Amino acid sequence: MRKPFDIKRYPGFFPITCLCLFLLYTPLIVVMVYSFNDSNSITNWGGMSLRWYEEVFYGVESQKFKKAAFNSLSIAICAAITATTLAVCAAMAMLRTGVFRGQTLSFALINLPLMVPEIVTAVATLVFFSAIGFKTGYASILIAHIVFCIPFAYLPIAARMQSVDATYEQAAQDLYATRFEAFRLVLLPLILPGVISGFLLAFIISLDDFIITNFVKGAGIETLPTAIFGSVKQGIKPSIMAISTLLLLLSVVFVTLSYFVGRKGQQTP
Amino acid sequence: MAQIGSSARSSVKGGTFAGLGPLLMLPSWVVIGFFLVLPVILMLVYSFLTKEFRGGVIWEFSVNAYDQFFFNRGLFGDEAPTIEWTYINIFWRSIWQAGLATVLCLFIGFPTAWFIATRSGHSKSMWLFLITIPYWVNLLIRTISLKFLIRDTGPMNTWLMSWGIIDQPIHIINSNLAVQLGLFYSYLPFMVLPIYASVERYDFSLSEAAADLYSTRMETLRQIIIPVVKPGIIAGCILVFVPSLGAFLAPDLLGGSKTFMIGSLIEEQFKGNAGNWPFGAAVSMILLSLVLIALMFYARSQSSARKATRAAD
Amino acid sequence: MNTAVEIENVTKRYGDVVALSSVSLAIEDNEFFTLLGPSGCGKTTLLRSIAGFEQLSQGDIKLFGDSIVDLPPNKRPVNTVFQHYALFPHLTVADNVGFGLQRQRLPSHEIASRVADILEMVQLGSYADRLPSMLSGGQQQRVALARALAPRPRLLLLDEPLSALDLKLRQDVRVELQQIQHDTGITFIFVTHDQEEALTMSDRIAVMSEGVLQQVGTPRQIYEAPDNRFVADFIGDTNLIDVQVTQVLDQCATCVLPGGASIACNNMAGASVGAGHLSVRPERVTLGPVDGSALQGEVSRLTYLGTDIHVTVALSDGGKMDVRVQNSDSAAIPQPGSTIGLYLDIAAARLLVD
Ligand SMILES: Nc1ncnc2c1ncn2[C@@H]1O[C@H](COP(=O)(O)OP(=O)(O)O)[C@@H](O)[C@H]1O
Ligand SMILES: [Mg+2]
């Protein structure tokens, strides 16, 4: 029997999609699998073992990595909270205050961190900090992270806010709510899924960053990516694969979380 | 992404928080203005200063950095200037690498985006989810994974040899191909997502109308679908091309010393003692200008596309 | 009687678009007042100006004698039933209805009892804990009404509250709304583009077009004595005949019809010698023999409407006339193609200048 004519179907597109997923996933899966390799040589398979995970948590370098992980996580949380707060304010300014002078410019400014190549941002920030005599370290990393997290937090928040009709806040005001109450009792609950997505996005982006951190961190402080990069420069070690696997799982958990938050939000617009 | 904000303004009458715009915008202005705009301006200034050996600048106006980039005046700077190809070639190679990676992404990304966008309901969001997950995995980890996989002694070569498909390891690492593969792998989701968003909005009755008027699938693809979803395709290409151009990790980890790209050139000027800050600043400014030109091209194509759809309404 | 709302010379511009152009209007207390006009004529803009969501370009709005233009919406004793209800999707029905009372800082036991009472009034007592998304369109409409009534505003604004309901429900809700307005004694300003809705519900109607107020009057005045061509044409069906006014004497105008026949007309909205328009409703025209008729034409089309038959007559000068004939009188129904005479009910024909 002939297949019914389907206007949306293009032969070959399905295999290409599979190829696409294959290319995206193979390296990750291979690293995950090899992180359980018992052999000392990273290329030969020597059976299953958790020894590299043990090394990550208790080995000689474990202190260094724990410290780096703490820095990464605490910076990511602080940067994401700050960036999300700024992004909520910015989204209200762009979408809920009518037209004001400099609005278009403000929109460009919010998105500027996405437009300037990361490497340029990195060296510019470094040069700037050294010019104003700001000591590089934890604070400089945090500031740099806040800057480039803003647009990532802004996108889902603004998208959500745009889909929430301004009439809801007007209805609240009509019912004697002040502007702040209209925000707190109506707008904020309605954009909450967007705010959470924005926060998670900013969190992952901060956790992810290598290039900018690598430049502005200065000596004596590491985040997970810079610590990993430092190790890899001397060759890929199995413990690095174990750390990578852990980070990978963390990212996947976060994305899954933000995916479900987003979906739940869509059901009650 | 550029649509959010600009188009919404007209639909919201007055605005609940009318008059508070500048106040709400202020924190972002301060943070981004002080810690990004100022630094970039400072870089622009630095690119016109004199270099201090072992890093740093001397506050003396000079165009030496740009001169060094474009012209060769001999070892002592006293010969007649000839065009200096070293750096232009690095730029050219970067553009070429980024361009190839973009084309590769487009050829894989378009069919993928189309396929996903034409799934129904639940399976669509599953596919989309699968495509986006790798994007959220740390770029460094992804690059390391790829490096591990394709090394001469890596699993790929080991398996291929043990299955007897090859008898010599395929040498990919430290080559242009590895860098392209790395860039492709890094930014593929950036290509898929905007095209997906465009195809989502595509009205399939257009395809039906085309088929009704005797057009084959391929003719429909070429003459109807691609022109209609073009804004998404351009957005995808820009989103892959721009970060590829300034990429640092892929060339550094996968390309080795032979495949020097702009990112590494800039990095070299600011790390260690051999640095030349004004020159690094100048290279950064040239890179930034290229990116801004690409973005302007993008903005123009998006706004003309929006005008076209508005005219059709 | 007391004036509830005074709208004085209100103008609202959006850039080059003039949404309201010098609108002046007085609305009495306890009145069911309707703003009627085609979509885009500025009804919502006027309503939102009263509620406080639009900054006027010019003019003043007074509520029971006091100017309110400088008050923010949350300080105006005015509530709105929004066009698509704008029920807060994350709050239950009871929380929605109690929202305004909470903002007024009423004690919680009073809020609870008032919410319960008003939900009872709109017959939604058992739905208090549901979310709005779990209600039907008609129920949502009643929650929106209850929410706006709960704070006991002095003025209630309703922006096309029935447009999202289906026909049958709409007719029931019309009666309910009138009843509620009567019982509560709150002044209603009701916006609609549906002339039937306006005619059946309102004490008075204001007809608007392109930001300009065209006529204010009772439903009967609006229908039977329109002030201008727009109102005559927008409310119900009408035939507009171009006439030449040759003489105006003592509220009696002599008009020359296209065919040359001359008639005297004393139902007019201010006439002067020159070109004019005669508005005649289709049900006020009768068909008859050609001889002695004011206008003649050829029957071009019959449309069956059930109780009535709609006869379209092509006049000899190129114009056309619509005539409504009752279906009961089969002898009076002409054949398509036949030539026929038209007789106008002069008392019901209104002479309009523009
Ligand atoms: N925020 C706005 N910006 C520009 N024009 C507007 C805005 N709001 C309304 N208008 C214009 O004002 C006119 C009246 O609109 P509106 O009051 O909504 O009409 P109605 O409710 O009678 O359908 C329309 O032409 C509309 O396009
Ligand atoms: Mg309206």
Side-chain angles (χ1 to χ4, degrees):
Chain A
M1 207 181 80
R2 247 193 100 226
K3 267 194 184 169
F5 183 79
D6 181 358
I7 211 84
K8 298 177 179 179
R9 214 181 70 86
Y10 277 81
F13 279 19
F14 176 63
I16 293 178
T17 308
C18 294
L19 175 70
C20 180
L21 286 182
F22 176 78
L23 290 173
L24 286 175
Y25 279 91
T26 315
L28 300 179
I29 291 170
V30 165
V31 161
M32 265 165 118
V33 169
Y34 272 77
S35 73
F36 295 102
N37 185 0
D38 192 40
S39 159
N40 262 326
S41 138
I42 55 167
T43 35
N44 300 324
W45 184 251
M48 279 284 291
S49 129
L50 287 176
R51 60 183 280 205
W52 303 117
Y53 289 89
E54 212 167 299
E55 180 163 327
V56 168
F57 286 102
Y58 306 107
V60 276
E61 285 197 312
S62 67
Q63 275 314 314
K64 179 180 134 196
F65 279 116
K66 273 182 196 161
K67 222 165 157 186
F70 173 79
N71 288 336
S72 268
L73 287 174
S74 60
I75 286 172
I77 290 171
C78 294
I81 289 176
T82 316
T84 308
T85 312
L86 295 186
V88 170
C89 293
M92 292 215 293
M94 294 310 296
L95 299 170
R96 288 298 202 265
T97 62
V99 183
F100 61 90
R101 267 185 70 187
Q103 198 169 28
T104 315
L105 197 64
S106 301
F107 183 68
L109 190 86
I110 292 279
N111 286 295
L112 192 65
L114 293 178
M115 296 192 263
V116 180
E118 247 189 308
I119 185 83
V120 176
T121 307
V123 293
T125 313
L126 169 72
V127 163
F128 179 72
F129 280 142
S130 86
I132 61 170
F134 194 96
K135 205 173 154 323
T136 50
Y138 193 91
S140 63
I141 302 177
L142 182 59
I143 290 172
H145 280 217
I146 291 172
V147 171
F148 68 72
C149 282
I150 290 175
F152 287 96
Y154 177 81
L155 286 177
I157 293 173
R160 179 75 192 180
M161 199 180 286
Q162 198 166 25
S163 75
V164 173
D165 202 331
T167 326
Y168 290 124
E169 297 128 69
Q170 289 170 357
Q173 286 185 288
D174 190 60
L175 295 162
Y176 315 109
T178 62
R179 295 211 274 196
F180 183 68
E181 283 173 328
F183 169 72
R184 187 169 58 87
L185 298 170
V186 176
L187 184 58
L188 187 60
L190 292 179
I191 60 167
L192 198 61
V195 174
I196 294 175
S197 294
F199 172 83
L200 293 176
L201 216 90
F203 179 85
I204 292 189
I205 290 291
S206 162
L207 204 60
D208 233 30
D209 180 72
F210 165 74
I211 298 177
I212 294 173
T213 313
N214 190 34
F215 276 88
V216 302
K217 76 183 173 62
I221 180 166
E222 300 281 357
T223 63
L224 266 184
T226 62
I228 294 174
F229 186 79
S231 288
V232 169
K233 276 279 148 182
Q234 294 136 35
I236 303 178
K237 281 176 290 189
S239 57
I240 291 299
M241 290 199 265
I243 292 182
S244 298
T245 306
L246 292 173
L247 259 181
L248 203 152
L249 291 179
L250 186 73
S251 302
V252 172
V253 166
F254 262 86
V255 188
T256 316
L257 222 63
S258 98
Y259 172 76
F260 282 110
V261 168
R263 266 204 354 174
K264 190 155 167 288
Q266 272 169 15
Q267 284 155 7
T268 51
Chain B
M1 59 185 100
Q3 289 91 321
I4 297 173
S6 44
S7 67
R9 243 175 287 148
S10 54
S11 70
V12 177
K13 295 183 179 180
T16 319
F17 303 95
L20 295 182
L23 188 70
L24 288 167
M25 213 55 227
L26 189 68
S28 303
W29 267 101
V30 169
V31 171
I32 298 179
F34 198 74
F35 293 106
L36 184 60
V37 177
L38 268 189
V40 170
I41 292 173
L42 191 70
M43 284 292 269
L44 182 65
V45 173
Y46 271 28
S47 71
F48 288 105
L49 295 180
T50 309
K51 89 166 173 183
E52 165 100 81
F53 289 94
R54 299 142 139 262
V57 287
I58 300 169
W59 281 85
E60 226 168 77
F61 178 81
S62 145
V63 290
N64 271 346
Y66 292 96
D67 190 69
Q68 179 186 349
F69 188 93
F70 290 108
F71 300 108
N72 181 358
R73 292 174 192 272
L75 205 50
F76 302 103
D78 50 3
E79 290 170 26
T82 53
I83 301 281
E84 167 67 72
W85 289 105
T86 319
Y87 306 116
I88 296 174
N89 277 340
I90 291 177
F91 263 71
W92 179 239
R93 188 161 59 229
S94 299
I95 291 172
W96 177 245
Q97 299 270 43
L100 277 180
T102 307
V103 170
L104 203 59
C105 283
L106 181 60
F107 275 99
I108 302 261
F110 181 85
T112 306
W114 178 273
F115 179 79
I116 296 175
T118 53
R119 295 308 92 193
S120 57
H122 200 65
S123 88
K124 183 195 295 193
S125 44
M126 263 337 281
W127 280 101
L128 201 60
F129 187 52
L130 277 178
I131 287 287
T132 36
I133 284 186
Y135 167 65
W136 294 115
V137 174
N138 198 313
L139 181 60
L140 174 64
I141 290 179
R142 280 189 289 155
T143 313
I144 294 172
S145 307
L146 188 63
K147 177 173 181 160
F148 174 69
L149 179 68
I150 63 175
R151 287 188 318 165
D152 292 357
T153 55
M156 186 185 75
N157 278 316
T158 322
W159 293 335
L160 288 179
M161 286 202 293
S162 70
W163 294 334
I165 298 174
I166 50 174
D167 46 19
Q168 283 283 315
I170 310 175
H171 184 75
I172 302 179
I173 200 81
N174 294 349
S175 72
N176 284 333
L177 181 63
V179 176
Q180 281 149 27
L181 210 59
L183 294 175
F184 161 76
Y185 179 53
S186 304
Y187 303 117
L188 180 59
F190 285 169
M191 181 64 84
V192 177
L193 295 179
I195 298 181
Y196 164 82
S198 281
V199 176
E200 246 312 49
R201 284 196 300 270
Y202 175 73
D203 178 1
F204 285 98
S205 61
L206 294 182
S207 283
E208 284 169 0
D212 188 54
L213 296 165
Y214 318 111
S215 137
T216 65
R217 269 185 221 280
M218 279 304 149
E219 284 165 349
T220 307
L221 183 67
R222 216 176 42 240
Q223 299 190 338
I224 311 290
I225 297 170
I226 289 180
V228 172
V229 301
K230 204 165 98 192
I233 294 177
I234 293 178
C237 290
I238 296 284
L239 286 179
V240 172
F241 183 77
V242 166
S244 296
L245 202 57
F248 171 73
L249 280 177
D252 192 78
L253 288 173
L254 299 168
S257 52
K258 270 186 288 178
T259 58
F260 213 62
M261 279 177 65
I262 305 174
S264 317
L265 178 64
I266 295 175
E267 192 242 21
E268 207 173 54
Q269 309 308 318
F270 291 92
K271 281 261 153 155
N273 282 341
N276 178 344
W277 283 26
F279 182 65
V283 177
S284 300
M285 286 304 119
I286 295 169
L287 171 62
L288 188 59
S289 328
L290 281 183
V291 168
L292 290 183
I293 289 169
L295 289 175
M296 250 146 65
F297 173 68
Y298 165 74
R300 172 123 21 111
S301 77
Q302 296 291 305
S303 75
S304 68
R306 220 175 305 150
K307 249 177 242 148
T309 51
R310 207 175 295 156
D313 282 346
Chain C
M1 247 209 247
N2 223 338
T3 306
V5 186
E6 258 173 287
I7 293 159
E8 292 171 357
N9 231 342
V10 164
T11 298
K12 173 71 191 173
R13 286 182 218 96
Y14 295 105
D16 293 338
V17 182
V18 182
L20 294 174
S21 162
S22 316
V23 174
S24 293
L25 196 58
I27 297 161
E28 305 298 331
D29 200 5
N30 284 347
E31 197 172 19
F32 196 119
F33 191 90
T34 298
L35 295 173
L36 175 65
S39 146
C41 72
K43 308 177 298 282
T44 299
T45 306
L46 184 55
L47 212 61
R48 292 168 53 84
S49 306
I50 300 171
F53 297 116
E54 304 286 355
Q55 202 83 44
L56 300 183
S57 308
Q58 227 170 66
D60 194 11
I61 299 176
K62 287 189 181 133
L63 192 67
F64 295 100
D66 303 319
S67 172
I68 54 168
V69 285
D70 291 330
L71 292 180
N74 53 318
K75 298 268 169 59
R76 300 187 186 196
V78 173
N79 287 144
T80 308
V81 176
F82 287 85
Q83 193 157 10
H84 301 288
Y85 315 142
L87 296 178
F88 305 127
H90 60 299
L91 300 180
T92 61
V93 167
D95 287 342
N96 262 285
V97 175
F99 192 92
L101 304 175
Q102 265 161 5
R103 303 282 76 69
Q104 292 179 322
R105 309 276 181 262
L106 294 187
S108 55
H109 59 91
E110 189 178 343
I111 295 178
S113 75
R114 265 166 76 169
V115 167
D117 286 351
I118 204 138
L119 281 179
E120 217 44 64
M121 184 178 100
V122 296
Q123 296 145 38
L124 285 171
S126 53
Y127 293 87
D129 296 325
R130 300 238 189 142
L131 286 175
S133 56
M134 295 152 76
L135 302 180
S136 72
Q139 289 166 335
Q140 291 185 4
Q141 196 270 331
R142 281 183 293 182
V143 177
L145 185 64
R147 183 177 75 173
L149 286 172
R152 299 186 184 147
R154 305 195 66 180
L155 174 65
L156 189 72
L157 310 174
L158 302 101
D159 193 355
E160 312 211 9
L162 310 184
S163 61
L165 306 179
D166 51 42
L167 188 65
K168 185 73 189 65
L169 196 55
R170 213 181 303 169
Q171 282 164 353
D172 297 343
V173 178
R174 276 184 201 168
V175 179
E176 266 177 60
L177 264 183
Q178 270 182 301
Q179 191 61 46
I180 288 171
Q181 195 267 330
H182 185 262
D183 293 347
T184 55
I186 295 173
T187 309
F188 275 31
I189 302 183
F190 182 89
V191 162
T192 183
H193 63 261
D194 180 334
Q195 40 139 332
E196 191 188 321
E197 221 163 81
L199 292 175
T200 53
M201 297 172 77
S202 327
D203 294 326
R204 282 196 307 152
I205 299 173
V207 183
M208 294 177 66
S209 163
E210 292 179 358
V212 180
L213 197 61
Q214 301 291 334
Q215 186 173 1
V216 183
T218 62
R220 197 182 181 113
Q221 284 167 344
I222 298 274
Y223 187 79
E224 292 181 3
D227 274 354
N228 55 38
R229 271 200 295 168
F230 175 83
V231 177
D233 203 27
F234 186 69
I235 314 286
D237 296 327
T238 198
N239 294 296
L240 285 169
I241 309 166
D242 293 331
V243 294
Q244 208 58 41
V245 181
T246 53
Q247 193 182 33
V248 185
L249 252 183
D250 282 347
Q251 288 300 302
C252 180
T254 310
C255 314
V256 180
L257 295 175
S262 161
I263 57 168
C265 175
N266 58 7
N267 178 359
M268 64 183 92
S272 57
V273 172
H277 309 277
L278 202 59
S279 162
V280 192
R281 304 280 179 194
E283 68 268 21
R284 300 295 193 146
V285 184
T286 39
L287 301 172
V290 175
D291 292 340
S293 63
L295 288 164
Q296 302 81 34
E298 187 182 322
V299 176
S300 61
R301 191 185 162 95
L302 293 181
T303 312
Y304 180 74
L305 296 175
T307 55
D308 293 329
I309 302 252
H310 192 107
V311 182
T312 310
V313 179
L315 299 180
S316 33
D317 71 322
K320 78 177 181 66
M321 285 275 278
D322 292 327
V323 182
R324 229 169 234 251
V325 181
Q326 284 218 332
N327 203 0
S328 54
D329 186 7
S330 58
I333 299 168
Q335 289 301 309
S338 58
T339 305
I340 208 158
L342 299 157
Y343 295 81
L344 312 180
D345 178 349
I346 292 298
R350 189 161 168 90
L351 180 60
L352 306 170
V353 189
D354 63 348

